Amino acid sequence: MNVRMILAGSMLLGVLASGGSVDRPLVAAVPASPESALFDAALVAKGAELAAVGNCRSCHTQPGGAPFAGGLPLATPFGTIHSTNITPDPDTGIGRWTGEDFLRAMHDGVDRAGRHLYPAFPYDHFTRVTALDVAAIYAFIMTREPVRAEIPANRLRFPAGFRPAIAVWKALYFEPGVYRPDPTKSAAWNRGAYLVDGLAHCGACHTPRNALGAENKRQDLGGGEVERWHASSLIETSPAPVPWSADALYDYLRRGHEQRHGIAAGPMAPVVHNLSGAAEDDVRAIAVYIASRMQRPESAPAGAADAVVAAAKEREAGAGSGATSGNAASAVDGATVFAGACAACHGAGPTSRSPAPVALGLTTSLNAPDPRNAIHITLEGLWPEPGEKGALMPGFAAELTDGQVIALVDYLRARFTDRPAWTDVPQRVSEVRQGMQSEP
Amino acid sequence: MIELNINGRTHAIDADPNTPLLYVLRDHLALSGAKFGCGLGQCGACTVMVDGQATFSCLTPISVLPGRRIKTVEGLGTIEQPGPLQRAFIDEQAVQCGYCIAGMIMRAQALLEKNPSPSEAEIRRHLMPNLCRCGTHLRILRAVRRAAEQMRVAAAHEAKPSDS
């Protein structure tokens, strides 16, 4: 009996065991065009929660497009690829895929026709998702509205455009396997580790990649990049001035902000938006596991976090006070820009009307090893999706010249953190500006 | 003194460099079209244009503005000769209390200067930062569509003599 048969068998058993009524044949008998009615409602609901953890919707949906209908262009160092339509449309989606086809894509990175899939689809993580969980996700996906949507052709540079090249990549970097629980750890920790390394694929952004685009496992979750944003380290090198606790992480992942760390922005914003639909216990488990990975060897003395918070608030109170006053002309000076553009929300002085929810000195973006996130937020602001709750900050791309942005970002780093000045601010400002212009 | 170019004229302003542009417009220059709504860049009542882009004047200190082109609602037309957007807002009766309207018009102007034929989705997305508490949003959208149409017609009319 080969592995695939074992998997398929265990998947079917899992589906049955999870509450599917026994008299209905489920995954194994999926016809060419599966009918929604074949899937048990509880299994579909579980799949919805898991798909939220997997953040499937973010990549497989275009802005303003039908959910899961794909077509989102993903810029990679090797060219642009488009996410696929994973609605159950038989011709342009995955409507003809059986549960086994779907499992094989998740576990082995091949499509229904047996072609290798680009690892932008993170099967290097999904390979660790149990067949039971994959079956639930399959049930959820197959009961979505089918959408007929052709996907534009990928534009990749040689040899990445040549699919057999992916076989070489897989031979080098792809390790199929299952999650092995650590019996010395709690059930929540193990569930968290299983989700983080598998379905949630946190490392896809938070682990640095090598020249061939594979995650560097020796720096697992040590900080990476995505869409010209810096993805923070989720291990003991985390730049957060107040160490993250599991409770703080849970709040952040569930609500999108946490008052001692910051607000989910950029590519992390849709992740937390999706996680609001995940099972509460799963989000807690992720928080427990990540908090343990971030734990530093030395334990901080009691009250250290409160002292950091108090110091950050004190710095905010006098911010902008070094500003050029009187009638001195328009010297580009970060403190002056701050006093005029930022202090209304981020200062505690007389001009402040509405304190921002997070003290600047506590934010991960200002304490990060590179300035990109701070520049993104300065230029673009924070905008919740239309109709969604969330922090709102106007961007200053129109107001401030590059020179003024550079001066402001340098000032923010010096004024609100104890960390060394960033050395690459001018180059990063022009990169972020270029990115904003190239986006629609 | 800080020199500001507003609606094509240069003004020498005697004010602290931190002063928001909005205060200078209203208190020093009596250009009271732009309104103070929230002072936090959350409502858009203070919107003006800087170098062609919609800008919250309440959060823009004058120190960052020398050498830039500032345009306010007063720069679009006069009571006798309203500009195309102003005319369209009147024709559609898109104003109830009027507090947000100068900001709405200036944000729409920035869009139409860059994109003369915006789609409905583009108009809605672009106007998102500006709030109207009376709820005349649907009339505001109609006015922006009407102005876009009229500006296209006018542009085509102007372009004709040079074509021949």
Side-chain angles (χ1 to χ4, degrees):
Chain A
M1 190 189 248
N2 68 20
V3 174
R4 176 111 46 251
M5 288 167 70
I6 296 170
L7 289 176
S10 60
M11 186 163 154
L12 176 58
L13 286 173
V15 168
L16 295 173
S18 75
S21 38
V22 187
D23 58 341
R24 275 191 242 155
L26 297 173
V27 175
V30 166
S33 180
E35 296 296 325
S36 301
L38 284 174
F39 296 98
D40 178 79
L43 188 69
V44 171
K46 185 183 172 206
E49 290 181 337
L50 290 168
V53 171
N55 200 28
C56 314
R57 183 187 293 254
S58 289
C59 285
H60 286 284
T61 306
Q62 290 190 65
F68 305 110
L72 183 77
L74 303 167
T76 77
F78 315 103
T80 300
I81 62 177
H82 295 88
S83 64
T84 51
N85 178 351
I86 56 168
T87 70
D89 180 65
D91 299 321
T92 63
I94 62 170
R96 294 185 209 277
W97 288 44
T98 63
E100 193 179 341
D101 294 332
F102 190 77
L103 181 66
R104 190 168 67 150
M106 292 283 281
H107 277 186
D108 302 338
V110 287
D111 70 8
R112 183 162 174 266
R115 294 181 309 165
H116 291 297
L117 292 167
Y118 289 108
F121 174 58
Y123 50 81
D124 49 339
H125 292 276
F126 292 164
T127 187
R128 306 204 201 293
V129 181
T130 63
L132 177 66
D133 283 348
V134 172
I137 296 167
Y138 177 74
F140 169 70
I141 291 292
M142 290 315 229
T143 49
R144 297 308 89 202
E145 193 65 36
V147 177
R148 196 177 166 79
E150 298 281 357
I151 300 308
N154 296 328
R155 296 188 306 274
L156 289 160
R157 284 183 276 283
F158 186 81
F162 180 58
R163 279 199 189 248
I166 306 170
V168 178
W169 188 93
K170 284 165 100 170
L172 287 169
Y173 302 115
F174 176 53
E175 290 173 37
V178 295
Y179 173 70
R180 297 197 188 287
D182 179 344
T184 68
K185 298 291 206 301
S186 69
W189 188 97
N190 274 299
R191 178 72 181 165
Y194 160 74
L195 291 171
V196 165
D197 191 36
L199 187 57
H201 63 287
C202 306
C205 300
H206 288 277
T207 298
R209 291 179 183 270
N210 67 19
L212 287 176
E215 290 174 31
N216 180 348
K217 289 295 180 191
R218 273 169 305 180
Q219 295 179 51
D220 182 44
L221 301 181
E225 67 175 279
V226 54
E227 295 167 26
R228 292 182 291 265
W229 287 69
H230 173 71
S232 284
S233 164
L234 304 182
I235 56 175
E236 71 276 4
T237 52
S238 159
V242 176
W244 284 95
S245 65
D247 284 346
L249 274 166
Y250 174 81
D251 274 356
Y252 173 82
L253 292 172
R254 199 71 173 175
R255 306 200 174 94
H257 62 90
E258 203 285 318
Q259 58 177 356
R260 292 183 163 195
H261 297 89
I263 293 162
M268 192 63 194
V271 174
V272 297
H273 182 234
N274 275 329
L275 282 178
S276 66
E280 189 176 322
D281 285 349
D282 279 352
V283 181
R284 278 207 190 282
I286 291 170
V288 163
Y289 172 71
I290 296 284
S292 93
R293 291 287 307 271
M294 283 176 163
Q295 202 139 48
R296 293 165 194 166
E298 76 286 2
S299 59
D306 292 336
V308 172
V309 172
K313 289 193 169 151
E314 202 164 306
R315 286 184 198 216
E316 202 136 291
S321 60
T324 323
S325 57
N327 286 342
S330 60
V332 177
D333 150 25
T336 307
V337 176
F338 184 90
C342 316
C345 296
H346 291 288
T351 57
S352 176
R353 282 176 286 272
S354 161
V358 184
L360 283 173
L362 300 178
T363 59
T364 307
S365 48
L366 283 186
N367 286 281
D370 89 47
R372 277 177 296 181
N373 295 5
I375 294 167
H376 272 290
I377 295 167
T378 302
L379 291 176
E380 297 159 9
L382 298 168
W383 295 96
E385 280 300 299
E388 300 287 342
K389 282 197 296 188
L392 197 164
M393 171 184 143
F396 289 85
E399 283 83 348
L400 303 179
T401 62
D402 282 6
Q404 290 158 353
V405 174
I406 293 163
L408 174 62
V409 169
D410 283 340
Y411 170 78
L412 294 172
R413 176 80 162 180
R415 167 79 206 181
F416 294 103
T417 79
D418 293 322
R419 295 179 187 272
W422 286 308
T423 55
D424 54 349
V425 176
Q427 174 205 339
R428 297 299 195 181
V429 168
S430 58
E431 278 172 23
V432 173
R433 282 256 200 217
Q434 275 165 19
M436 287 173 75
Q437 276 153 15
S438 68
E439 278 154 24
Chain B
M1 289 291 196
I2 290 179
E3 289 201 342
L4 299 181
N5 179 328
I6 300 169
N7 299 329
R9 282 183 53 197
T10 302
H11 299 267
I13 307 296
D14 183 10
D16 190 285
N18 296 340
T19 310
L21 171 62
L22 177 66
Y23 298 3
V24 168
L25 294 175
R26 295 181 57 87
D27 299 343
H28 292 238
L29 302 172
L31 295 170
S32 54
K35 300 288 187 285
F36 181 96
C38 65
L40 301 166
Q42 312 265 314
C43 79
C46 68
T47 305
V48 301
M49 285 164 66
V50 173
D51 287 343
Q53 296 201 67
T55 299
F56 297 116
S57 65
C58 73
L59 291 182
T60 306
I62 55 171
S63 63
V64 306
L65 293 172
R68 324 261 313 261
R69 286 175 296 109
I70 299 158
K71 195 188 273 184
T72 71
V73 73
E74 290 87 352
L76 298 188
T78 61
I79 291 179
E80 296 73 33
Q81 285 195 303
L85 262 166
Q86 292 167 319
R87 180 82 256 161
F89 271 69
I90 296 166
D91 291 345
E92 291 291 347
Q93 288 291 290
V95 179
Q96 188 165 313
C97 86
Y99 205 80
C100 70
I101 292 298
M104 291 282 184
I105 288 178
M106 293 314 289
R107 191 166 294 275
Q109 177 77 18
L111 173 66
L112 297 184
E113 285 186 13
K114 204 182 297 176
N115 177 1
S117 311
S119 67
E120 180 69 16
E122 284 169 329
I123 296 173
R124 284 170 181 255
R125 189 148 198 99
H126 183 85
L127 291 180
M128 196 173 63
N130 289 41
L131 306 179
C132 162
R133 286 189 61 170
C134 302
T136 61
H137 296 95
L138 293 177
R139 289 179 179 223
I140 290 169
L141 290 169
R142 278 210 298 272
V144 175
R145 287 194 296 268
R146 175 192 280 256
E149 174 66 29
Q150 282 168 357
M151 287 158 88
R152 282 198 300 273
V153 169
H157 195 69
E158 268 175 37
K160 261 195 179 146
S162 61
D163 286 349
S164 55

